[in-house]
Amino acid sequence: MRPDRASTQDADENRLNAVRRFADNVLEQGRDRWTGRSTPLLADGLNLETGRPAVWRYDGEEFIVHNLAGQQNLFRVLAGLTNLTGEARYKDTAEAAIRFHFDHLAADCGLLRWGGHRFVDLQTLQPVGRFDCGHHEFKCNFPCYELMWQVDAGATARFIRALWNAHILDWGTLDMNRHGAYGQERGDLWDNEFEDPEPFFEGDGLTFINCGSDMIYAGMMLYALGGEEG
């Protein structure tokens, strides 16, 4: 083996070991130990000095933050580690957290309790957020839909449909709002007639491009994973 090739392999091994150490710390210290139910959920952050979880202090209360939307790239890392090392525990951790949300924390409409205005408190497992927890919001979160689909294809498809249902205000123009309402009755979705209006028009919603990017990504993933052409 040439020396330069050996050094490259050593460098790759060092990088992989660094990622593995990070993931091991997440699994060891970040896994739920606060609800008393030993759920598979992970805290959003840890104090490097004390090991205590990241908290949100608001209006005299303190909440341990678990926001599944903010953990999607972590789940990609965990799944990648399983692919590289053959150790199932990394991907299993990500899948278990997703499955717990689908089975125990999802709203009746199919939306998950995550995103820009809502998270789950790891002491009570109750949703927490401003505006009385009334909004679903994405801002370039780009969930790991491939992994979600492996866990529960039906629940993932239901979520994506609920996402569009909650955020589109006018299907004729595709005017949308970055704030989506929970509990909305399912509409006709892709069976609506698109009027293809002239750009640009004055919309009624908060048409933030970072939310729009997530809508496009979700719709394309529903087609890519489930063949839903609408």
Side-chain angles (χ1 to χ4, degrees):
M1 183 182 295
R2 300 204 322 256
D4 56 340
R5 184 175 179 184
S7 62
T8 298
Q9 288 187 347
D10 288 343
D12 288 344
E13 188 69 23
N14 288 337
R15 282 190 284 268
L16 177 58
N17 287 337
V19 176
R20 191 200 295 259
R21 284 195 302 274
F22 165 77
D24 288 344
N25 285 332
V26 169
L27 269 57
E28 180 180 349
Q29 300 183 49
R31 204 189 305 266
D32 170 33
R33 56 181 187 272
W34 306 280
T35 64
R37 295 177 51 181
S38 298
T39 74
L41 305 181
L42 300 169
D44 263 28
L46 294 168
N47 185 306
L48 296 181
E49 300 297 329
T50 66
R52 288 176 53 81
V55 298
W56 185 49
R57 296 185 178 94
Y58 179 73
D59 200 22
E61 296 187 75
E62 184 173 284
F63 308 94
I64 298 177
V65 181
H66 165 79
N67 195 330
L68 197 75
Q71 298 182 9
Q72 296 303 299
N73 281 337
L74 170 63
F75 289 175
R76 290 181 171 96
V77 170
L78 295 176
L81 271 177
T82 289
N83 293 338
L84 288 170
T85 67
E87 294 186 39
R89 61 194 180 95
Y90 297 115
K91 185 177 180 182
D92 287 350
T93 297
E95 290 183 340
I98 294 169
R99 186 175 295 108
F100 191 89
H101 270 260
F102 281 151
D103 292 346
H104 302 289
L105 299 175
D108 291 341
C109 64
L111 290 175
L112 298 181
R113 304 183 191 279
W114 61 356
H117 282 290
R118 180 176 285 205
F119 65 86
V120 171
D121 175 27
L122 270 188
Q123 298 169 107
T124 64
L125 290 182
Q126 294 300 307
V128 177
R130 298 183 65 189
F131 307 112
D132 297 323
C133 301
H135 297 314
H136 181 279
E137 181 186 70
F138 273 166
K139 289 179 178 176
C140 293
N141 289 102
F142 303 123
C144 189
Y145 289 118
E146 300 93 333
L147 191 60
M148 293 171 64
W149 196 268
Q150 292 173 26
V151 172
D152 191 327
T156 304
R158 186 166 178 257
F159 166 77
I160 294 175
R161 296 183 194 116
L163 175 72
W164 275 73
N165 190 66
H167 288 269
I168 296 296
L169 300 178
D170 183 339
W171 284 85
T173 62
L174 291 185
D175 187 15
M176 62 89 169
N177 197 329
R178 71 182 177 95
H179 290 160
Y182 284 83
Q184 286 196 159
E185 185 176 345
R186 178 72 56 81
D188 292 332
L189 300 178
W190 338 116
D191 291 332
N192 284 283
E193 189 71 27
F194 178 54
E195 299 167 3
D196 198 14
E198 288 290 327
F200 297 92
F201 62 89
E202 183 176 350
D204 293 324
L206 301 170
T207 52
F208 286 25
I209 191 172
N210 44 13
C211 177
S213 298
D214 250 307
M215 300 282 287
I216 294 167
Y217 180 66
M220 291 305 298
M221 290 305 295
L222 183 58
Y223 170 72
L225 295 169
E228 197 158 325
E229 293 188 359

